[in-house]
Amino acid sequence: MGSKNLTATLLLFTTFLFISRSTSAVHSPPRLNATTNDLTFIRTSCNATLYADLCFNSLAGYASAVQNNPARLAKLAIGVTISKAKSTALFLTKFSHSATKAKDCASYLKDALDEMRDSLRTLRNISRGVGIDSAAPSSVEMFRFKMSDVQTYMSAALTYEDTCTDEYDETDEVGGTKTAVYDRVNNLKRLTSNALALVNSYANNGAP
Ligand SMILES: *[C@@H]1O[C@H](CO)[C@@H](O)[C@H](O)[C@H]1NC(C)=O
Ligand SMILES: *[C@@H]1O[C@H](CO)[C@@H](O)[C@H](O)[C@H]1NC(C)=O
Ligand SMILES: *[C@@H]1O[C@H](CO)[C@@H](O)[C@H](O)[C@H]1NC(C)=O
């Protein structure tokens, strides 16, 4: 065998090694499978909400972190809603100097934010088992009791958001500001409603 042939053979061999290694890296199925299952879980859970498509679209990006865990899903939904509430409140402060209603609305959204933060803190405590002794016969009741707090906070948040749009409804402000506020706050209300529905599902099915 001449040295040219040897070089060609070696080159072919290393190329083969390289290709087989990269294809085996591309075709690693466990991750893909997990993602499909995780997405199905989000799709199915979102089916219990009023705005299922919005629910799926807002949460699907975090599917691999949620996996099949309804507690994580509820916390994620509240977290996503909190960040939307923050940006909406910030958006409203831009108009506060000219529109009193925008200022009022921003302050209602801040109240809604406080409620949602409380609900998230309570959920985190539940996940860490704070105040819930899983060996005690009363642990299911304790779980339900704490979850009812979470439900109350989320309902209160939704009520604050409703108050914002109700008051805005009474203004004769036309065009730009009112429409922009409406669109954003209504979107926030849908996210909040969805998060509450996911909290309700967890409360009904997630007892320890
Ligand atoms: C991926 O899912 C398919 C069917 O959905 C299954 O046959 C296969 O064993 C799974 N692979 C892994 C690695 O879990
Ligand atoms: C959603 O719920 C409906 C009934 O309420 C059911 O027919 C449908 O199969 C569900 N879809 C998913 C993806 O779970
Ligand atoms: C969470 O638990 C801590 C104790 O670890 C407690 O101080 C705090 O008040 C609890 N928060 C809520 C919202 O329940």
Side-chain angles (χ1 to χ4, degrees):
M1 202 191 282
S3 80
K4 248 187 189 159
N5 269 348
L6 184 64
T7 312
T9 310
L10 271 177
L11 189 68
L12 200 66
F13 183 65
T14 35
T15 309
F16 169 76
L17 264 186
F18 179 76
I19 289 174
S20 62
R21 287 182 81 174
S22 31
T23 45
S24 76
V26 168
H27 296 284
S28 56
R31 235 198 147 85
L32 287 175
N33 270 15
T35 305
T36 307
N37 291 338
D38 298 345
L39 285 173
T40 303
F41 175 70
I42 300 222
R43 176 81 68 196
T44 311
S45 306
C46 282
N47 206 16
T49 69
L50 226 41
Y51 310 99
D53 287 344
L54 175 69
C55 175
F56 182 77
N57 292 334
S58 62
L59 304 175
Y62 309 91
S64 59
V66 171
Q67 296 186 329
N68 284 326
N69 189 315
R72 268 188 226 148
L73 185 62
K75 283 182 275 190
L76 170 67
I78 297 171
V80 165
T81 311
I82 284 177
S83 93
K84 182 62 79 180
K86 277 189 203 162
S87 64
T88 308
L90 195 65
F91 172 79
L92 282 165
T93 57
K94 285 187 203 156
F95 301 107
S96 306
H97 61 282
S98 56
T100 329
K101 291 291 175 189
K103 196 174 192 167
D104 291 348
C105 186
S107 96
Y108 286 126
L109 292 194
K110 276 168 193 151
D111 291 334
L113 261 169
D114 285 341
E115 299 287 345
M116 289 193 277
R117 287 189 180 115
D118 278 344
S119 73
L120 198 51
R121 282 188 202 112
T122 308
L123 271 177
R124 285 190 184 130
N125 275 1
I126 292 170
S127 295
R128 294 194 345 255
V130 174
I132 299 175
D133 178 0
S134 60
S138 62
S139 69
V140 172
E141 279 144 63
M142 211 51 227
F143 171 81
R144 296 246 158 85
F145 179 72
K146 284 175 182 284
M147 282 307 292
S148 77
D149 281 348
V150 181
Q151 290 166 305
T152 305
Y153 298 140
M154 290 308 289
S155 305
L158 198 50
T159 305
Y160 280 123
E161 294 164 6
D162 279 336
T163 312
C164 159
T165 44
D166 286 351
E167 292 211 351
Y168 234 96
D169 212 18
E170 292 159 9
T171 67
D172 46 14
E173 225 177 283
V174 269
T177 311
K178 188 168 176 173
T179 310
V181 169
Y182 253 74
D183 287 351
R184 279 180 166 77
V185 181
N186 280 331
N187 187 47
L188 174 63
K189 279 158 68 171
R190 291 187 200 108
L191 285 174
T192 312
S193 154
N194 282 349
L196 174 58
L198 294 175
V199 163
N200 290 340
S201 300
Y202 176 45
N204 295 331
N205 310 312

